[in-house]
Amino acid sequence: MNVPTWLWFATIGGLVAIILADLFLVDHKPHAVTIREATRWVLFYVALAVLFGIGLWLFAGGAYAGQFFAGYITEYSLSVDNLFVFVVIMGAFSVPAVHQHRVLLVGIVIALIMRGIFIAIGAAAIAAFSWVFYLFAVILVVTAVNLARQGTDHEDEGEPAPVRLLRKYLPVTEQFEGTKLLTRINGKRMVTPMLMVMLAIGFTDLLFALDSIPAIFGLTQEPFLVFTANAFALMGLRQLYFLLGGLLSKLVYLSYGLSIILAFIGVKLVLEALHENNLPFINGGEPVPVPTVGIGLSLSVIVGVLAITTILSLIKVRRDPSAAHAPSAAPVVGDDRPGHDEAAHEPAVTPERDRTTAGD
């Protein structure tokens, strides 16, 4: 797929414009996101992804469009599992409802930048070393086994290591200062929990990327498609956080479904690696005549597994309500009633002596 430089810049520029517009809307009137608002935004981002895929279909062909949709659905479904951890992080930091959207937005921007770097490294490695496919396959299969063992448990693994390291060397206040990242108390500059929770969201997503990036490279080796699929999935993730809300606790079989998808893609990677083999210790360095999995079958398996997993999860919880796992905190949503002031629910900041706030 020959992607001109201008298209890369145009795509990244469009994403940046959407992020800036979203950030402006959040800062213009901070509030707890309502279910109705979250639904509109999720539909908006899904529509953008669909329009982008249709554009690929028209200008690049159905094969590339199919690869994009398969990658987008895979990344979005894997991201749903991230939401369990995001709920835990929000609860651990006691993030006020009016600031949760901003935290997710900035945290996901950090994650998108780091994922872009990770994708570039992965694409370069694949181009230089064919055995990378085998490495990615191993990562996916091991992750699939771990997810299957995890089952319905979504335990809190604590703050990411980089955040714990920062806590050792940076003074952190006990409470939020609105949306401020830095503050000054008694003449001493300190970091607020707002910065720490944003970093926690970003670094946590990067850990998930160690599994999801190899998965999408198993569906397409086009860096442009890998990046855009990740971008659209991440952009819609924060709104999905508020929309799903209590539904997260009902997706009891999600980990099993994701493990099946990852294992399937891992096998697909091995078959493709064998089909294009040039490693001298396998079949004398010649390609192995094995069947490969087309993008149509891949897309069908991914969508089918997700649909079956969701249906079985809802049936299980309906028959046995105690089967639903309860995260340590739940997304706080605003009131859809007209005139309701969600910002009023933000905890008041206790005044401290000689306290001044610093800008973001």
Side-chain angles (χ1 to χ4, degrees), residues 224-262:
F224 182 72
L225 300 182
V226 174
F227 174 76
T228 51
N230 270 272
F232 281 112
L234 285 177
M235 290 299 295
L237 179 60
R238 66 192 185 283
Q239 303 297 343
L240 196 63
Y241 170 86
F242 298 102
L243 179 60
L244 289 181
L247 182 61
L248 283 177
S249 63
K250 299 180 181 180
L251 299 179
V252 294
Y253 294 137
L254 177 63
S255 293
Y256 295 118
L258 294 179
S259 68
I260 293 173
I261 292 174
L262 291 179

Side-chain angles (χ1 to χ4, degrees), residues 196-221:
M196 302 304 289
V197 70
M198 287 178 178
L199 293 176
I201 293 290
F203 282 117
T204 298
D205 184 84
L206 181 62
L207 295 178
F208 280 101
L210 297 177
D211 304 325
S212 63
I213 296 299
I216 193 172
F217 270 118
L219 298 169
T220 177
Q221 285 79 59

Side-chain angles (χ1 to χ4, degrees), residues 85-211:
V85 181
F86 290 175
V87 168
V88 172
I89 291 175
M90 291 289 193
F93 283 91
S94 300
V95 180
V98 295
H99 298 320
Q100 289 186 6
H101 186 276
R102 179 185 175 91
V103 167
L104 286 171
L105 178 60
V106 177
I108 286 174
V109 169
I110 296 173
L112 184 57
I113 294 172
M114 293 190 293
R115 282 199 183 202
I117 297 172
F118 197 73
I119 290 169
I121 295 173
I126 289 174
F129 310 105
S130 61
W131 52 263
V132 170
F133 281 112
Y134 295 105
L135 176 61
F136 282 179
V138 170
I139 292 174
L140 294 181
V141 172
V142 170
T143 303
V145 172
N146 290 336
L147 280 175
R149 288 178 176 176
Q150 172 183 307
T152 59
D153 295 328
H154 292 269
E155 298 179 354
D156 179 11
E157 299 181 356
E159 296 177 353
V163 176
R164 292 198 301 270
L165 181 63
L166 286 175
R167 279 192 181 275
K168 291 183 178 180
Y169 299 99
L170 294 177
V172 183
T173 63
E174 294 295 328
Q175 58 192 19
F176 285 82
E177 297 284 349
T179 61
K180 300 297 182 181
L181 306 182
L182 303 173
T183 188
R184 191 181 298 276
I185 301 176
N186 295 327
K188 182 179 181 181
R189 184 176 291 275
M190 300 184 71
V191 172
T192 70
M194 178 65 76
L195 176 60
M196 302 304 289
V197 70
M198 287 178 178
L199 293 176
I201 293 290
F203 282 117
T204 298
D205 184 84
L206 181 62
L207 295 178
F208 280 101
L210 297 177
D211 304 325

Side-chain angles (χ1 to χ4, degrees), residues 30-103:
H31 62 283
V33 178
T34 65
I35 295 296
R36 186 179 304 171
E37 181 184 1
T39 301
R40 290 197 300 265
W41 277 104
V42 167
L43 293 176
F44 170 74
Y45 282 114
V46 170
L48 282 182
V50 171
L51 289 175
F52 184 84
I54 293 175
L56 285 173
W57 192 298
L58 295 175
F59 295 101
Y64 289 125
Q67 292 174 19
F68 168 77
F69 281 122
Y72 170 68
I73 294 173
T74 299
E75 291 298 312
Y76 213 177
S77 60
L78 289 172
S79 296
V80 172
D81 208 36
N82 300 19
L83 298 183
F84 288 99
V85 181
F86 290 175
V87 168
V88 172
I89 291 175
M90 291 289 193
F93 283 91
S94 300
V95 180
V98 295
H99 298 320
Q100 289 186 6
H101 186 276
R102 179 185 175 91
V103 167

